[in-house]
Amino acid sequence: MQQNIYIKCPLCGEDNTETIYTKGNLSKGLINVICKNCSLVYINPRPSEEEYLEFHKEEFLRDSHGLKDVSQFAEKQESNLRLKGKVYDFLEEYLKEGDNVLDIGCGFGTLLHIIQEKKHCNIWGIELSQLDVEAGKKYYNLNLLNINFDDFASQPENKNKFDFIAMHHTFEHFPDPLEKLEFIKSILKDSGKVYIGVPNILNVKKRPDVFFQIGHPFSYSLYTIGKVLEKSGFKIIKFSNRAAFPGGMEMIISSSPAEKGIVFKKDDYRKVVEYVKEIENKFSLFRRLRDRLFFWLPARLRLKLSRAINRLLKKI
Ligand SMILES: [Zn+2]
């Protein structure tokens, strides 16, 4: 992907940034900046929106997230059930029998499968990976759709249809979050709720050059995602920093005037910059210690040791 489109801050419209990190996807070059006015962290310059869609249909699925073939479902199902089971625990109080529920970026549909079993809701799932859609059909008997969200939301029969929409580690992949929220509003009933689970720039549990990746045009904090949502008429009504993925955050949002939103403090952009530096230092200190103390180990064992240390760091 060409990282050649220069953008102003999509949240406040200013062009006043500081570089916060210069690597991503391990040690590849990737520039993330932070807006000094509103503290939003975003890739700049970045690929176009069309390139992002192509990327998520191909490279992203091939290299990391999609199934490699339908039978891979078997080895992935157990950990997926554990992960989506935690997501379900967080959101289940907002579901009732007969609700229309949509999962955007649903993978092979484990969350929908759980919701259908436990709450007897009507379910819809959209997913860019054709193999995941086939696995959902074969193993869970779910009719998932291999369609992108804009096309799905543009269909007249989907207007004002859903009581609940889930986006688990999907929202941070959108290069145009404000437009996507408008689409979400148009297909959500007035009293509807939305689940969002995303990485949190102020709760990082992995190396920053792994945390930052080209697929995430934005790295949100509670404050900045709250502001993006507020701009679209949504408020956060439930929040947790203990998301199913270590280091993430999850929330329930609503645009109903009847709901009371959570009040949150503004981020000082310098504190966010400092925080990322601290995380970088913590991980590089461990790397240096490992190399100094265990230089005599074969590379393969050093790697194993390093994975064990990373697992430990996630718990700290
Ligand atoms: Zn800004």
Side-chain angles (χ1 to χ4, degrees):
M1 279 201 295
Q2 304 266 339
Q3 291 159 42
N4 57 5
I5 307 232
Y6 188 90
I7 57 168
K8 289 183 179 173
C9 174
L11 179 54
C12 73
E14 291 211 359
D15 185 16
N16 181 17
T17 61
E18 179 174 321
T19 298
I20 190 164
Y21 207 72
T22 56
K23 284 181 283 179
N25 303 73
L26 296 171
S27 41
K28 295 195 187 115
L30 182 72
I31 297 174
N32 266 275
V33 299
I34 183 164
C35 173
K36 290 185 183 178
N37 182 45
C38 73
S39 301
L40 182 67
V41 175
Y42 57 99
I43 296 175
N44 201 23
R46 70 177 200 183
S48 68
E49 288 173 14
E50 294 74 29
E51 279 182 305
Y52 260 120
L53 183 58
E54 282 313 305
F55 166 79
H56 283 112
K57 278 182 181 166
E58 290 176 18
E59 259 176 272
F60 175 71
L61 296 175
R62 189 188 61 226
D63 298 343
S64 48
H65 282 65
L67 292 178
K68 306 286 177 279
D69 69 76
V70 173
S71 64
Q72 216 193 2
F73 171 89
E75 65 183 81
K76 290 210 166 185
Q77 192 202 12
E78 200 186 314
S79 63
N80 206 248
L81 271 173
R82 239 188 345 260
L83 175 69
K84 298 296 169 73
K86 287 184 191 163
V87 173
Y88 174 80
D89 290 344
F90 183 80
L91 58 77
E92 62 100 13
E93 64 181 290
Y94 297 96
L95 298 174
K96 59 183 187 315
E97 192 173 333
D99 276 355
N100 290 343
V101 177
L102 168 69
D103 188 351
I104 304 170
C106 63
F108 45 74
T110 300
L111 179 62
L112 293 169
H113 168 73
I114 299 172
I115 289 174
Q116 201 176 39
E117 294 274 296
K118 296 200 172 182
K119 293 279 184 179
H120 310 289
C121 297
N122 308 310
I123 59 98
W124 282 259
I126 59 175
E127 169 55 48
L128 291 174
S129 158
Q130 178 60 32
L131 287 170
D132 280 70
V133 165
E134 283 168 28
K137 171 83 193 153
K138 184 171 174 188
Y139 297 101
Y140 288 145
N141 198 25
L142 296 172
N143 274 318
L144 308 176
L145 301 168
N146 183 219
I147 183 174
N148 80 60
F149 175 58
D150 292 15
D151 291 344
F152 178 83
S154 303
Q155 293 171 357
E157 68 267 28
N158 292 327
K159 298 292 165 208
N160 289 311
K161 179 172 179 172
F162 295 99
D163 300 281
F164 197 90
I165 297 175
M167 288 184 283
H168 182 252
H169 286 260
T170 299
F171 193 72
E172 72 275 23
H173 292 268
F174 293 144
D176 52 349
L178 293 164
E179 285 85 346
K180 290 291 185 287
L181 286 168
E182 284 309 309
F183 272 129
I184 283 168
K185 237 183 183 172
S186 74
I187 60 171
L188 190 67
K189 291 181 184 171
D190 290 345
S191 59
K193 310 281 187 297
V194 181
Y195 166 91
I196 299 180
V198 288
N200 180 351
I201 184 73
L202 288 173
N203 185 20
V204 177
K205 302 284 187 196
K206 48 174 97 163
R207 284 164 46 187
D209 57 341
V210 175
F211 176 86
F212 289 111
Q213 44 182 290
I214 186 74
H216 297 172
F218 298 98
S219 295
Y220 299 105
S221 64
L222 167 60
Y223 172 73
T224 54
I225 199 166
K227 281 289 164 194
V228 169
L229 294 168
E230 192 180 286
K231 221 173 165 176
S232 308
F234 285 101
K235 53 201 151 191
I236 299 171
I237 59 171
K238 182 180 182 183
F239 176 81
S240 170
N241 235 342
R242 299 180 62 82
F245 270 150
M249 58 179 166
E250 54 190 351
M251 63 206 76
I252 303 289
I253 66 169
S254 162
S255 65
S256 160
E259 300 284 350
K260 210 167 157 254
I262 292 171
V263 180
F264 37 83
K265 256 195 5 237
K266 186 177 194 298
D267 293 337
D268 177 338
Y269 88 88
R270 282 161 298 215
K271 284 202 177 141
V272 183
V273 173
E274 277 311 304
Y275 176 78
V276 171
K277 272 191 197 140
E278 272 170 33
I279 295 292
E280 169 74 8
N281 289 341
K282 184 169 96 171
F283 278 94
S284 67
L285 176 71
F286 272 91
R287 268 203 302 275
R288 281 202 308 277
L289 266 177
R290 178 200 67 194
D291 291 344
R292 201 166 282 180
L293 292 173
F294 299 101
F295 66 92
W296 46 273
L297 276 177
R300 193 171 50 84
L301 289 177
R302 266 210 312 263
L303 189 70
K304 271 196 171 170
L305 185 71
S306 161
R307 288 198 182 126
I309 290 173
N310 280 346
R311 275 198 298 277
L312 191 73
L313 283 174
K314 280 179 187 168
K315 290 182 185 149
I316 296 173

